[in-house]
Amino acid sequence: MRYPVMLLALVPLFVSVQALAADISLLAGCTNKVFDEINRTHKWSGKAPAACPATIVVEKRADGVLVTAWATRSAEGGWVRTAFSGAMGYGELARKKELAKAGRDIMARAKRLERCLDSINTANDPLECRDRATKSYSAGEESGVENDRIVWLDDDGRHTVVEYAFGNTDSTPSPPADLLNGQQLPPGTVIDLHMNR
């Protein structure tokens, strides 16, 4: 009698893990919309695209632009943050055909990362991906535990990374710092798409 109750208790957990992993495609779509905006306007507006429930950061790199999109949700006893980071080169951003091809590549890689995260969360198997997990403890004004996992594809393809973090710290979680290593662009920044072509 106990076992069915335990199994039923695990179903909502499994469903919520699957739903959070599915956020990756939504976030990847948000990054593609930002790349489309940069292609059209040659600027970063500083605003999340329409129908994109995420915080967005754009970074300038030597050979292109990195866009990170993340969403944080309240969860029982804490919060959960899912983040996706993808990159495009200046040449891809400057040409419509290459932009579309790069966008399809980002979405395909996001789906692969989703499968890996689902597998990690349900079977502790990263499949074709690599991952790194950390757990940190805080005490004092802010107290609690934060778990952070970074997942990436183990190939020489386009830079795409997922972060999945959850915790019960008192304050709002910080942005996905492991994904943000470059020069963040303020709103209205002009981006020269003809660099390194």
Side-chain angles (χ1 to χ4, degrees):
M1 215 32 128
R2 282 172 146 178
Y3 297 111
V5 173
M6 288 176 64
L7 288 175
L8 287 174
L10 290 175
V11 170
L13 175 63
F14 177 73
V15 170
S16 67
V17 167
Q18 294 286 52
L20 291 170
D23 286 348
I24 296 167
S25 286
L26 176 67
L27 295 171
C30 291
T31 65
N32 275 344
K33 288 179 182 178
V34 172
F35 289 129
D36 290 344
E37 172 192 325
I38 293 169
N39 169 268
R40 280 190 324 276
T41 66
H42 295 222
K43 290 183 183 178
W44 160 231
S45 69
K47 298 176 184 172
C52 181
T55 302
I56 307 283
V57 170
V58 175
E59 295 180 43
K60 187 176 176 180
R61 299 286 171 98
D63 55 352
V65 174
L66 178 80
V67 177
T68 301
W70 73 91
T72 305
R73 298 183 190 177
S74 295
E76 188 175 332
W79 52 266
V80 176
R81 180 181 63 233
T82 308
F84 177 84
S85 178
M88 278 196 197
Y90 292 115
E92 293 171 317
L93 285 164
R95 299 180 188 97
K96 287 280 188 196
K97 192 173 183 179
E98 289 185 32
L99 175 75
K101 182 179 176 184
R104 288 190 300 273
D105 184 39
I106 284 175
M107 294 308 295
R109 293 176 72 80
K111 293 248 183 248
R112 292 167 63 193
L113 287 163
E114 271 182 17
R115 284 192 295 274
C116 290
L117 183 58
D118 283 340
S119 181
I120 289 167
N121 286 335
T122 58
N124 200 27
D125 179 0
L127 301 175
E128 65 177 314
C129 297
R130 294 282 186 222
D131 73 311
R132 183 185 78 231
T134 58
K135 187 173 192 174
S136 54
Y137 300 87
S138 303
E141 287 184 31
E142 178 186 323
S143 61
V145 178
E146 182 173 327
N147 295 276
D148 196 327
R149 183 177 299 276
I150 303 292
V151 182
W152 66 96
L153 290 161
D154 190 23
D155 61 15
D156 293 325
R158 176 181 310 279
H159 175 88
T160 49
V161 179
V162 165
E163 181 206 46
Y164 175 73
F166 59 93
N168 63 356
T169 48
D170 295 335
S171 66
T172 304
S174 60
D178 284 344
L179 303 183
L180 308 175
N181 297 315
Q183 174 191 355
Q184 293 183 32
L185 300 180
T189 301
V190 174
I191 300 171
D192 181 3
L193 301 183
H194 302 289
M195 294 174 65
N196 299 325
R197 285 176 60 185

